[in-house]
């Protein structure tokens, strides 16, 4: 059975058309994509899906990490922010795998108590990350360096340039103007640009992965979607096993009660006094 992967979009911001490439990647990786918008309850999604894909979109409003808006803040969608942040918190509790892309990485970080640079040029000596929308998305525009002790290193190893035992590198596309600043609880930074900007974060436990680039346009990055699918299948199987054990325990409990009642009835019948008169 293919795992059901939730993709979150905002119908009023035109992101539905923008998620088509993600839908294709989920299908190519062996998953079953399902598109949701922020008008449903996050808890309802957690009950039915096996994995979550948070995709690119508007800036995360800084109120969610305790800051006032910078003049460089761009388009925001507070309803989507509230929805996705709650969804991440519930997914973490339920051990539902999450892959975050672009904004999705920022949402993960903020949901777990981290902060963002409202604009990357707050970083001294930052290289160009915010390439215009007219730039072809499949172009590889700057390098990233990946820690060898990370989960993402294991996922992408076949396509990386390996240097020594501690680090590897590759080229990626780049279309963002916000970035992770303080890393959220339970997360660690594992990929960096040459200017030190965090390009990927991952959970210390479980499958939570956020990347800053747009992997849906880079063929070698299909491995990220496959990793999400594999983690979602594992989670689905574990959930099925738990449900099976609960059901078996309930059935056994019912049988024990029925057997106890039958035994009690038998003992009562055997001890009835003889009322026959001679």
């Amino acid at each position: 059975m293919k795992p059901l992967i939730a993709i979150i979009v905002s119908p009023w911001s035109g992101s539905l058309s923008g998620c088509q490439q993600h839908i294709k990647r989920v299908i190519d990786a062996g998953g079953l994509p399902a598109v949701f918008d922020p008008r449903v309850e996050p808890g309802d999604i957690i009950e039915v899906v096996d994995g979550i894909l948070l995709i690119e979109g508007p800036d995360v409003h800084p109120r969610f990490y305790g800051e006032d808006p910078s003049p460089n803040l761009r388009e925001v969608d507070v309803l989507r922010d509230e929805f996705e942040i709650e969804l991440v918190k519930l997914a973490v509790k339920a051990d539902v795998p999450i892959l975050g892309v672009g904004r999705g990485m920022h949402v993960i970080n903020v949901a777990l108590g981290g902060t963002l640079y409202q604009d990357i040029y707050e970083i001294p000596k930052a290289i160009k990350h915010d390439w215009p929308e007219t730039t072809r998305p499949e172009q590889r525009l700057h390098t990233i360096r990946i820690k060898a002790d990370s989960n993402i290193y294991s996922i992408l190893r076949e396509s990386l340039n390996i240097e020594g035992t501690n680090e590897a590198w590759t080229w990626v596309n780049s279309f963002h103007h916000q970035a992770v600043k303080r890393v959220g609880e339970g997360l660690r930074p594992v990929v960096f640009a040459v200017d030190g900007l965090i390009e990927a974060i991952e959970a210390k436990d479980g499958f939570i992965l956020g990347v800053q680039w747009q992997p849906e346009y880079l063929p070698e990055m299909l491995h990220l979607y496959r990793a999400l699918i594999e983690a979602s299948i594992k989670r689905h199987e574990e959930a099925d096993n738990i449900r099976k054990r609960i059901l078996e325990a309930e059935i056994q409990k019912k049988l024990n009660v029925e057997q106890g009642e039958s035994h009690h009835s038998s003992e009562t019948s055997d001890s009835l006094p003889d009322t026959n008169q001679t």
Side-chain angles (χ1 to χ4, degrees), residues 187-208:
L187 302 171
R188 66 178 189 131
V190 289
V191 181
F192 302 86
V194 67
D195 55 10
L197 184 145
I198 298 171
E199 289 280 338
I201 55 176
E202 64 183 35
K204 296 175 183 177
D205 297 302
F207 188 94
I208 301 175

Side-chain angles (χ1 to χ4, degrees), residues 153-217:
Y153 176 91
S154 301
I155 294 169
L156 298 178
R157 182 168 183 167
E158 294 178 6
S159 60
L160 298 178
N161 300 287
I162 309 296
E163 290 185 355
T165 58
N166 297 322
E167 204 172 63
W169 64 275
T170 190
W171 287 84
V172 294
N173 51 18
S174 188
F175 304 96
H176 64 99
H177 90 104
Q178 293 197 311
V180 168
K181 189 174 184 179
R182 187 184 72 239
V183 177
E185 185 177 350
L187 302 171
R188 66 178 189 131
V190 289
V191 181
F192 302 86
V194 67
D195 55 10
L197 184 145
I198 298 171
E199 289 280 338
I201 55 176
E202 64 183 35
K204 296 175 183 177
D205 297 302
F207 188 94
I208 301 175
L209 176 61
V211 299
Q212 189 63 82
W213 60 93
Q214 301 300 138
E216 69 272 27
Y217 294 107

